[in-house]
Amino acid sequence: MFHKLKVGIKSVENTFSKHEASKDARFESAYQRFCELEDKASLLSNALRDNRKAWGSLLVNCRDFLNHVSSLYEGEEPSKILSQEALQCTEAYQEYLDKYGVTGVQESGSDKAIKLLNQYLEKIRKLRVVSESQRKIMKEYDYYKDKVDSLRSAASTKEKERERLSRNESKLAEVRSRLEDCTNEFCKGVSQLEKQKNYVFDRALVTFLHAQFIALSYNPFYTIGQKLQDQYADMLNSDFDDLRDSLEDLSLRDR
């Protein structure tokens, strides 16, 4: 008995899933706006995280390069001293960015903005579940509506058929009520997201720009730049000679 009931329920669910659901104009309009908000919020959240990682990666790259170059030279060669000075500047820059939260070591406005975006995205995730429920209920509604329409058009006078029509009309009314409740819940949720979007997105924008201002307003490499202009101007302003011929000469001598 229980097995037959399970099979029956599964059969009805399969019928719903194969059915092409009708479209509710109010729901579809809200769903389109919902998807746009979901995409924008996700992109902003990822961009804030990626920017923080980018500053951290830049510093790691500088340290790695300067450490490798410094190890190539012996004693107090000018290039070794230059690379060591640049390494000290990198460390100072790291401390500065960490202090003001640009790299995420200390809590900052970026953390608060990301947290706010995550709360916004959590509301979006919950609302997406509601949208999926609405589409399932819409298929169920279409199923019972078609069934009721078919039974009514048959206009049978048999008691059994009249009872069947009555049962399906009751099911249709129940499904219609659930569909309206679900659609209203979704549309109301989208309206709330739209009201909150400026509050959330404005703070993401200001936080992002402030992090760039903090990072770029301090330049510990200024003294290195002056030294490059004073002592290495010829190297910076001239074309580098092609090493191909000299390398070929070395190869020939080795033979």
Side-chain angles (χ1 to χ4, degrees):
M1 174 85 177
F2 181 66
H3 176 70
K4 289 181 179 179
L5 180 62
K6 284 178 67 178
V7 171
I9 293 173
K10 190 171 183 180
S11 176
V12 172
E13 288 176 347
N14 288 338
T15 302
F16 295 158
S17 64
K18 293 175 183 177
H19 193 281
E20 183 65 30
S22 299
K23 303 292 184 181
D24 181 289
R26 186 166 67 100
F27 173 83
E28 295 301 331
S29 175
Y31 185 75
Q32 183 177 359
R33 302 196 307 277
F34 166 79
C35 289
E36 291 174 359
L37 291 172
E38 183 180 39
D39 290 342
K40 289 175 182 177
S42 297
L43 288 171
L44 287 177
S45 181
N46 291 335
L48 281 173
R49 287 194 183 88
D50 290 346
N51 184 253
R52 174 181 287 178
K53 291 178 183 177
W55 285 111
S57 297
L58 174 64
L59 292 167
V60 170
N61 177 262
C62 286
R63 278 198 301 273
D64 288 347
F65 179 83
L66 293 169
N67 276 320
H68 290 321
V69 169
S70 179
S71 67
L72 296 174
Y73 298 100
E74 304 265 344
E76 297 297 315
E77 292 186 50
S79 293
K80 185 178 183 69
I81 294 172
L82 178 64
S83 61
Q84 289 175 338
E85 290 176 352
L87 187 58
Q88 291 174 355
C89 291
T90 302
E91 298 298 340
Y93 199 39
Q94 175 80 66
E95 291 179 10
Y96 171 80
L97 295 183
D98 289 348
K99 178 181 177 181
Y100 290 99
V102 176
T103 52
V105 175
Q106 298 290 335
E107 185 174 4
S108 66
S110 292
D111 295 285
K112 295 174 183 177
I114 290 172
K115 183 178 180 181
L116 192 62
L117 275 167
N118 284 340
Q119 291 173 349
Y120 192 76
L121 284 167
E122 181 60 27
K123 289 185 177 182
I124 287 174
R125 278 190 284 271
K126 289 179 178 178
L127 209 53
R128 177 160 286 286
V129 174
V130 177
S131 75
E132 291 168 355
S133 295
Q134 196 275 353
R135 295 200 183 280
K136 289 179 182 178
I137 298 171
M138 177 62 84
K139 288 184 178 182
E140 191 176 352
Y141 171 79
D142 288 345
Y143 172 80
Y144 284 113
K145 187 177 182 302
D146 290 347
K147 206 169 183 182
V148 166
D149 289 344
S150 176
L151 289 169
R152 283 174 178 169
S153 63
S156 176
T157 58
K158 294 181 180 179
E159 181 66 23
K160 187 175 181 180
E161 290 301 310
R162 289 201 302 272
E163 289 176 358
R164 187 182 176 198
L165 173 61
S166 179
R167 280 198 314 272
N168 281 279
E169 285 176 334
S170 297
K171 290 178 182 178
L172 178 62
E174 185 269 329
V175 173
R176 182 189 291 113
S177 178
R178 284 195 289 120
L179 180 61
E180 289 176 356
D181 289 345
C182 196
T183 301
N184 288 337
E185 180 183 355
F186 180 77
C187 292
K188 182 180 178 181
V190 173
S191 295
Q192 290 176 342
L193 289 176
E194 289 177 322
K195 289 177 181 177
Q196 295 168 344
K197 71 175 182 179
N198 286 352
Y199 181 87
V200 176
F201 295 169
D202 287 354
R203 277 149 185 78
L205 169 64
V206 171
T207 297
F208 178 85
L209 293 177
H210 185 252
Q212 312 320 301
F213 169 76
I214 290 292
L216 298 173
S217 62
Y218 174 63
N219 185 7
F221 290 93
Y222 179 79
T223 55
I224 297 293
Q226 288 295 109
K227 191 170 185 177
L228 291 175
Q229 291 297 330
D230 295 341
Q231 300 180 23
Y232 297 87
D234 291 343
M235 189 182 299
L236 289 173
N237 298 325
S238 64
D239 294 331
F240 293 165
D241 293 333
D242 196 331
L243 296 178
R244 189 183 301 110
D245 293 340
S246 59
L247 290 175
E248 288 178 353
D249 291 343
L250 287 173
S251 177
L252 289 171
R253 282 203 295 270
D254 288 342
R255 292 179 187 175

